[in-house]
C-alpha cells in the first residue's frame, strides 16, 4: 500500500519548497510574456500549468483539460508540471516563488483554501490571483464491489472498524468525512494519500474500506463493476445518467453536503493586463467544446466565475471550511 503522509516528511518537503520558491523569485521574474507598446499582454509561446498533486487524480485531469483547452485560445504551448508533496503545499509554494510571472498558472482546488488552515505553510489563498472557477463536484461515497456495506448508513455504523482513504490532510474528502463525523458522531480511521488516483488504487487493492471520490475519478470503476457507489453527499441527485440512481446522503439519514471547486489561479502581483488576459481566456474556454467535454466527461457541475467574483467565492468558502476544520 502507498505510505500515508508522515508529518516529519511533510516538514522536510515544505522546507525544501520554501527554498525552491526563493530561487524561483530570481529565475522566473518577468517570465516569457510581456506587454507591447499598446498595453496588450501576451504570455508568449510557453506557459506552465502547475498541478500540485500526482498524475491520475482529479486535479491532474483538470489541469490537463484546462491546459489543452487554453492552448488554441492563447496560441501558447501549455506544459503540465505535477509537483507532488505536502498535500499540495509543494506546488503552491512554487507558485508563491513565481510571483509576478503570468506565464505560470496552477490548477487549483479546495486545498488552496483549506491547507493553510490546518498546516503551517508559507501562503494563503489570498497570496494568489484568482482567474477562473471552472466548476464544482460532490463526493460519491464508494466501496469495493465485494464490500458488505450497502448504504452510507452502513459505513457510518461500522465506523470503528472502517478505514477510509483521503487525498491530502485538508482536502475535500477530509472535510466531507469530518462533516459526516460531526453530523453522526462517528469516528473514522483516515489513511492519507497524495492524490485521488492513489486512493482509488488503495480502495481496489483492499487497503482501505471506503472513500469519498470525485465522480470523474471513480466512474470507470463504477462502470466496470469493480466499485459500488453508496451515496452522493450533494443537495440532490446528479442528473448525469451514470450517476442518477445514486441516492443522496440525506436520503439515507446523513444530511451532509460539500462541494469541491476546481479552477485556475495565477501567482500574486501579476500585471493587471496579464490578469485580464487570462480572465478573458478563461471566458473563451468556458464557451468552448473543450470546456463542455471536460465538464461532461468528469461529471462536474458547470459553475464558472472569474476574477473578483471568484475571489469573493473563495472568501466565503474560506469562512465555511474554517468552521469545520477548526473543530477537527
Amino acid at each position: 500500500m502507498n505510505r500515508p503522509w508522515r508529518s516529519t516528511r511533510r516538514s522536510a518537503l515544505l522546507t525544501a519548497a520554501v527554498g525552491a520558491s526563493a530561487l524561483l523569485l530570481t529565475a522566473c521574474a518577468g517570465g516569457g510574456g510581456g506587454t507591447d507598446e499598446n498595453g496588450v499582454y501576451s504570455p508568449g509561446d510557453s506557459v506552465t500549468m502547475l498541478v500540485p498533486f500526482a498524475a491520475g487524480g482529479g486535479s491532474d485531469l483538470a489541469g490537463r483539460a484546462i491546459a489543452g483547452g487554453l492552448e488554441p485560445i492563447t496560441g501558447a504551448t501549455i506544459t503540465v508540471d505535477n509537483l507532488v508533496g505536502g498535500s499540495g503545499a509543494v506546488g503552491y509554494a512554487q507558485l508563491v516563488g513565481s510571483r509576478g510571472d503570468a506565464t505560470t498558472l496552477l490548477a487549483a482546488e479546495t486545498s488552496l483554501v483549506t491547507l493553510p488552515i490546518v498546516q503551517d505553510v508559507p501562503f494563503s489563498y489570498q497570496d494568489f490571483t484568482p482567474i477562473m472557477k471552472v466548476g464544482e463536484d460532490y463526493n460519491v461515497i464508494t466501496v469495493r464491489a465485494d464490500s458488505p456495506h450497502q448504504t452510507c448508513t452502513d459505513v457510518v455504523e461500522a465506523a470503528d472498524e472502517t478505514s477510509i482513504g483521503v487525498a491530502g490532510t485538508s482536502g475535500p474528502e477530509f472535510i466531507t468525512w469530518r462533516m459526516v463525523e460531526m453530523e453522526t458522531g462517528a469516528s473514522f480511521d483516515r489513511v492519507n494519500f497524495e492524490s485521488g488516483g492513489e486512493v482509488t488504487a488503495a480502495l481496489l487493492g483492499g487497503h482501505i474500506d471506503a472513500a469519498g471520490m470525485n465522480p470523474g475519478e471513480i466512474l470507470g470503476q463504477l462502470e466496470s463493476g469493480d466499485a459500488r457507489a453508496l451515496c452522493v453527499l450533494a443537495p440532490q441527485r446528479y442528473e448525469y445518467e451514470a450517476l442518477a440512481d445514486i441516492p443522496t446522503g440525506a436520503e439515507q439519514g446523513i444530511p451532509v453536503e460539500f462541494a469541491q471547486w476546481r479552477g485556475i489561479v495565477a501567482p500574486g502581483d501579476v500585471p493587471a493586463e496579464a490578469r485580464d488576459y487570462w480572465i478573458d481566456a478563461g471566458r473563451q474556454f468556458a464557451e468552448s467544446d473543450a470546456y463542455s467535454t471536460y465538464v461532461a466527461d468528469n461529471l462536474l457541475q458547470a459553475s464558472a466565475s472569474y476574477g473578483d467574483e471568484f475571489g469573493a467565492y473563495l472568501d466565503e468558502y474560506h469562512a465555511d471550511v474554517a468552521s469545520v476544520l477548526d473543530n477537527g
Side-chain angles (χ1 to χ4, degrees):
M1 183 177 79
N2 291 296
R3 178 177 295 177
W5 190 254
R6 304 294 186 183
S7 59
T8 53
R9 187 178 173 211
R10 178 172 63 241
S11 298
L13 276 172
L14 290 178
T15 300
V18 173
S21 296
L23 292 174
L24 282 165
L25 283 170
T26 300
C28 293
T35 303
D36 65 18
E37 64 275 10
N38 297 315
V40 177
Y41 175 81
S42 170
D45 58 8
S46 181
V47 172
T48 298
M49 176 71 74
L50 301 177
V51 173
F53 293 97
S59 292
D60 183 63
L61 295 172
R64 294 180 187 280
I66 295 168
L70 289 175
E71 282 190 335
I73 294 169
T74 63
T77 298
I78 303 180
T79 302
V80 175
D81 187 5
N82 294 86
L83 294 174
V84 182
S87 300
V90 170
Y92 286 113
Q94 179 148 336
L95 196 66
V96 170
S98 299
R99 183 174 297 276
D101 174 17
T103 66
T104 301
L105 304 174
L106 186 144
E109 39 69 59
T110 299
S111 66
L112 168 65
V113 177
T114 60
L115 195 59
I117 298 174
V118 298
Q119 289 190 26
D120 182 16
V121 294
F123 62 85
S124 78
Y125 74 97
Q126 295 172 318
D127 291 319
F128 306 113
T129 303
I131 299 299
M132 176 187 185
K133 178 165 73 75
V134 173
E136 298 172 325
D137 57 14
Y138 294 86
N139 272 188
V140 177
I141 305 303
T142 307
V143 295
R144 290 185 308 281
D146 61 355
S147 171
H149 303 312
Q150 300 299 315
T151 67
C152 285
T153 305
D154 292 342
V155 174
V156 168
E157 291 177 348
D160 292 343
E161 53 193 34
T162 299
S163 61
I164 58 174
V166 296
T169 58
S170 62
E173 296 89 356
F174 182 96
I175 296 171
T176 296
W177 286 110
R178 179 58 190 146
M179 292 174 70
V180 171
E181 289 176 332
M182 293 170 66
E183 178 66 32
T184 65
S187 180
F188 293 97
D189 175 25
R190 294 184 184 85
V191 183
N192 295 326
F193 299 91
E194 283 294 340
S195 74
E198 292 183 4
V199 174
T200 299
L203 179 68
L204 298 181
H207 304 298
I208 56 175
D209 300 312
M213 307 296 296
N214 298 324
E217 292 177 324
I218 199 65
L219 179 62
Q221 289 73 28
L222 296 178
E223 291 180 333
S224 70
D226 293 318
R228 287 187 290 109
L230 303 184
C231 72
V232 56
L233 298 181
Q236 59 190 19
R237 294 190 183 196
Y238 272 92
E239 294 183 359
Y240 292 108
E241 182 178 355
L243 303 176
D245 292 335
I246 304 173
T248 65
E251 290 179 60
Q252 298 180 354
I254 307 171
V256 171
E257 304 168 6
F258 183 70
Q260 177 181 13
W261 59 269
R262 297 197 180 279
I264 315 164
V265 296
D269 293 340
V270 298
E273 297 85 357
R275 172 184 179 272
D276 292 345
Y277 173 90
W278 284 116
I279 288 174
D280 181 65
R283 292 184 187 278
Q284 293 182 60
F285 172 55
E287 296 175 356
S288 70
D289 291 341
Y291 175 81
S292 299
T293 298
Y294 167 66
V295 168
D297 286 352
N298 292 276
L299 308 174
L300 266 68
Q301 309 289 1
S303 57
S305 63
Y306 311 90
D308 291 341
E309 182 183 359
F310 181 20
Y313 171 88
L314 293 177
D315 290 337
E316 183 177 352
Y317 198 89
H318 178 269
D320 289 342
V321 298
S323 67
V324 175
L325 291 172
D326 286 343
N327 287 297

